[in-house]
Amino acid sequence: MGTTVSIKKIVAMTAMVSLAATLMAGCGNSTSTSTSTPSPGGSTAPSGEQPAASSLQPKKGGTITIGLKDEPDQLDIQKTGMAVANQIAGNLGGGLVTQDPETLEFKPYLAESWMVSDDGKTWNFVIRSGVKFQDGTPLTAKSFAETYQRALNPETAAKVAGSNLSEVASVEAPDDKTLVLKLKQPFAPLLQYLSDPGWLQPLSIAAIQKAGDKYGRQPVGVGPWKFDSWENGQSISFVRNEDFAWADPIAKNQGPAYPDKLVYKFINENQTMLAALESGSIDIASKIDAKDVKKYKDNPKYEVKEMLRNGLGLFIMMNTRKPVFQQLEVRQALNKAINKEAIMKAVIQGEGVAAYGPLPPSLFGYDEAVKEYGYAYKVDEAKSLLEKAGYQKNAQGIYEKDGKPLTLEILAQTGTWAQAAQLIQAMLKNIGVEVKIVTLEWGALVDTATKGNFDMTLMGYTLNDPDVLYLFLHSSQIANGLNFCAVKDDKLDSLLVKGRTTVDSAARKEVYKEIQKYVVEQAWWVPIYTEKQFNVVRKPVEGVRMHPLRGLMYQDSWVNQ
């Protein structure tokens, strides 16, 4: 009944790690804003007077170069679990449906319509006519059927794509226009998955067969950009698909893209990225550190695009395999001992929101009331809870029980998480709990957490649906999933299944309110913050839009040269 998710999926998440991933159903309150200033102008502007960006008319030509910190392993989207691969491969593809960036309403795209059976288990899609793959192959219902069957085939070892379709029992294409998905059970996040232009985009099986093992380095799609070249460690380049005439309806430009080329450059160091932006060797700097944003907000040569992460950027997971964390009072005490606002100010310069529950404000189902019933920073109450749990302070000021000091380890990734861990260490020492920090690279941290060899670990996630809580907290996800805490709770299991199988949005929202309150009461996590993510666009690039769940969109972008 449940899904098993590759650990590489969470790896993608924290990078998006979209994780990589892209889960979500219904609508939400994702926050997406941009800080813009008038363009310094183009060559057609009168001397001494520059037109505002809104009055400029798009023109063809030029190249848009985007700086990314990570390089994908490949672009066969079914054989990768990396968020950056999905981000780049999305330019090659499109989804059966799309999601309006303002209302988050699902709308037709490569499927011109769809119907769902009364029991929620059979989905019929009518595929749009006139769409072609970049190799000239027409897109049909069979194309989608073959794509999804490939993702579900164990031999493909599809990572995120296979997981996203895990509730699909069968895929059929009775004719060129009709695609039928039969589900094992109703699955509320399905449309969210199907709206992603990356993971579940249609693939040309003919192109895959022709390229063989090389397909991951020469992919083919139906999207506005055609793969051009890949320089290992340097860049991936796309050229405009001149035949493209079926743009996502959320775009203003319904024809071919305006620029001649779209180039991704891989620059893993933040200051090097900013130097490349300022020198003009890249036009867009992705996910720059909060501390560097202000100077670009104040400069008319740049436009800052920001969005609130679709997930928790930082939280502590407690390993309930350990006897110490099997006591509710201990878990609650640690929650009350952490000053979220102080950590947020020190680590991300206050550019985010404090987290009081397992979901962020950017996701469907978020309960505003969590700020009232979530744990506030109260040191005295934290100490009282430890004493209620049977702990007393020793001569060194550390709580102990049965002669054993309350000494814990916390896993942290190198970088900002290590900085946060030091603050957490000091805050817990302040109430009488000694903490040792174990700093690991991301892969080693996930491996250690998966094996259960930890007391506490810092964690973060990015997914577009509250069903993420199933992945992290359902008991079926303990052995091979993301339930590193080893939470096994029958009430929670039942609620999490109800959350993913309740298709009505209003009813589903109520389920997630109940889930959030219960997860907070049980205190398995210490939520800390959800950060803003920043992208800086350099003039003369215009028309870059931000989708609150997908990030930057380039179909309306152009170079004012």
Side-chain angles (χ1 to χ4, degrees):
M1 178 180 256
T3 58
T4 299
V5 176
S6 164
I7 295 306
K8 292 189 177 179
K9 186 169 184 181
I10 184 70
V11 174
M13 290 184 209
T14 305
M16 200 172 243
V17 188
S18 60
L19 171 236
T22 48
L23 308 171
M24 160 153 188
C27 57
N29 297 315
S30 293
T31 303
S32 173
T33 61
S34 66
T35 304
S36 59
T37 53
S39 165
S43 58
T44 58
S47 177
E49 184 178 331
Q50 308 296 348
S54 60
S55 69
L56 298 171
Q57 293 300 310
K59 60 185 76 170
K60 278 199 168 188
T63 298
I64 295 179
T65 304
I66 304 143
L68 293 180
K69 293 182 178 178
D70 300 303
E71 180 177 12
D73 53 349
Q74 61 175 306
L75 291 180
D76 182 340
I77 199 61
Q78 293 188 355
K79 294 190 175 183
T80 179
M82 295 185 70
V84 69
N86 184 57
Q87 181 181 354
I88 294 173
N91 295 292
L92 293 163
L96 274 170
V97 299
T98 189
Q99 200 168 13
D100 186 286
E102 303 299 328
T103 65
L104 297 186
E105 176 188 0
F106 291 105
K107 297 181 176 181
Y109 180 23
L110 296 178
E112 58 188 34
S113 65
W114 70 90
M115 292 181 62
V116 186
S117 63
D118 290 342
D119 65 3
K121 293 184 179 181
T122 302
W123 294 61
N124 285 274
F125 296 87
V126 179
I127 304 303
R128 182 173 179 169
S129 299
V131 179
K132 294 186 298 182
F133 285 99
Q134 293 151 2
D135 62 358
T137 307
L139 176 74
T140 65
K142 184 181 178 184
S143 306
F144 273 105
E146 290 176 337
T147 297
Y148 294 171
Q149 287 162 358
R150 180 178 187 256
L152 290 168
N153 186 339
E155 292 182 9
T156 306
K159 297 178 172 65
V160 179
S163 172
N164 290 356
L165 293 171
S166 62
E167 294 300 331
V168 175
S170 67
V171 187
E172 301 167 8
D175 56 59
D176 284 352
K177 294 279 288 182
T178 307
L179 176 71
V180 182
L181 302 183
K182 293 187 177 179
L183 308 186
K184 301 169 188 174
Q185 62 182 345
F187 188 50
L190 182 63
L191 279 182
Q192 178 63 47
Y193 287 120
L194 297 177
S195 72
D196 192 294
W199 298 121
L200 293 184
Q201 64 178 285
L203 304 179
S204 169
I205 300 301
I208 292 171
Q209 291 171 343
K210 181 179 178 181
D213 292 341
K214 297 179 181 178
Y215 179 77
R217 292 272 168 158
Q218 49 190 62
V220 172
V222 298
W225 295 99
K226 296 171 66 174
F227 177 80
D228 181 45
S229 63
W230 189 331
E231 293 184 47
N232 283 335
Q234 300 295 319
S235 64
I236 292 176
S237 299
F238 296 92
V239 294
R240 178 174 56 236
N241 179 5
E242 296 288 1
D243 296 328
F244 189 69
W246 46 84
D248 188 321
I250 66 177
K252 297 175 184 176
N253 172 26
Q254 287 294 297
Y258 296 120
D260 297 326
K261 295 188 76 173
L262 191 69
V263 178
Y264 288 92
K265 279 191 176 179
F266 307 118
I267 307 170
N268 60 19
E269 204 280 316
N270 194 65
Q271 291 307 311
T272 306
M273 175 93 74
L274 299 181
L277 179 72
E278 292 169 14
S279 70
S281 64
I282 64 172
D283 301 299
I284 300 172
S286 301
K287 296 183 181 177
I288 69 166
D289 293 349
K291 62 183 175 60
D292 297 310
V293 169
K294 188 177 185 301
K295 67 176 180 178
Y296 298 106
K297 285 184 175 179
D298 297 338
N299 190 329
K301 294 181 180 179
Y302 301 94
E303 183 179 9
V304 176
K305 299 283 186 179
E306 66 181 58
M307 65 182 284
L308 193 63
R309 181 189 185 121
N310 305 322
L312 294 188
L314 190 70
F315 62 101
I316 301 170
M317 301 177 85
M318 290 176 258
N319 186 356
T320 62
R321 300 175 186 87
K322 306 285 184 174
V324 62
F325 293 124
Q326 290 167 9
Q327 286 192 278
L328 175 60
E329 293 87 356
V330 173
R331 303 196 303 267
Q332 291 174 326
L334 299 196
N335 267 273
K336 288 177 177 286
I338 302 298
N339 186 333
K340 306 170 194 293
E341 286 77 8
I343 294 173
M344 192 167 68
K345 184 175 180 180
V347 177
I348 57 169
Q349 288 67 55
E351 294 282 6
V353 295
Y356 290 91
L359 294 179
S362 49
L363 284 195
F364 168 82
Y366 170 74
D367 184 9
E368 284 283 347
V370 73
K371 289 180 280 190
E372 305 302 323
Y373 63 73
Y375 298 105
Y377 176 55
K378 295 181 178 179
V379 171
D380 288 343
E381 291 184 16
K383 293 176 180 178
S384 295
L385 282 163
L386 288 177
E387 288 164 10
K388 184 179 178 183
Y391 287 88
Q392 297 295 326
K393 281 193 175 178
N394 60 23
Q396 289 73 43
I398 301 299
Y399 277 105
E400 65 176 33
K401 186 177 183 181
D402 300 327
K404 187 177 180 180
L406 188 48
T407 302
L408 305 169
E409 287 187 348
I410 187 168
L411 307 182
Q413 187 184 8
T414 52
T416 55
W417 283 15
Q419 182 185 357
Q422 291 173 358
L423 295 169
I424 292 165
Q425 180 185 52
M427 290 171 187
L428 294 183
K429 182 69 177 289
N430 187 45
I431 67 163
V433 177
E434 192 165 30
V435 173
K436 297 176 180 178
I437 301 170
V438 179
T439 306
L440 300 169
E441 293 297 329
W442 177 243
L445 185 149
V446 171
D447 184 58
T448 303
T450 302
K451 293 174 181 174
N453 297 332
F454 72 101
D455 296 330
M456 303 183 292
T457 183
L458 290 178
M459 190 53 60
Y461 73 79
T462 301
L463 284 175
N464 293 345
D465 191 90
D467 189 54
V468 65
L469 300 184
Y470 182 98
L471 306 181
F472 275 102
L473 290 167
H474 193 275
S475 62
S476 67
Q477 303 300 302
I478 294 174
N480 297 305
L482 305 178
N483 187 351
F484 303 142
C485 293
V487 172
K488 185 172 175 53
D489 185 288
D490 291 343
K491 178 180 177 180
L492 181 61
D493 278 357
S494 178
L495 285 169
L496 290 169
V497 170
K498 189 176 179 182
R500 63 176 9 205
T501 57
T502 301
V503 178
D504 178 79
S505 292
R508 189 172 189 237
K509 193 168 186 177
E510 291 304 310
V511 176
Y512 279 102
K513 279 187 179 181
E514 188 176 354
I515 289 172
Q516 287 165 85
K517 192 159 190 178
Y518 189 66
V519 170
V520 168
E521 286 172 357
Q522 296 301 312
W524 293 299
W525 295 359
V526 181
I528 300 177
Y529 63 67
T530 291
E531 77 276 24
K532 292 179 183 177
Q533 296 178 327
F534 299 98
N535 303 277
V536 181
V537 181
R538 183 185 69 87
K539 304 296 180 175
V541 172
E542 304 284 356
V544 178
R545 295 173 64 198
M546 176 75 83
H547 193 290
L549 300 178
R550 292 190 211 163
L552 298 180
M553 301 186 296
Y554 303 110
Q555 178 63 15
D556 296 326
S557 305
W558 58 285
V559 183
N560 184 25
Q561 59 183 7

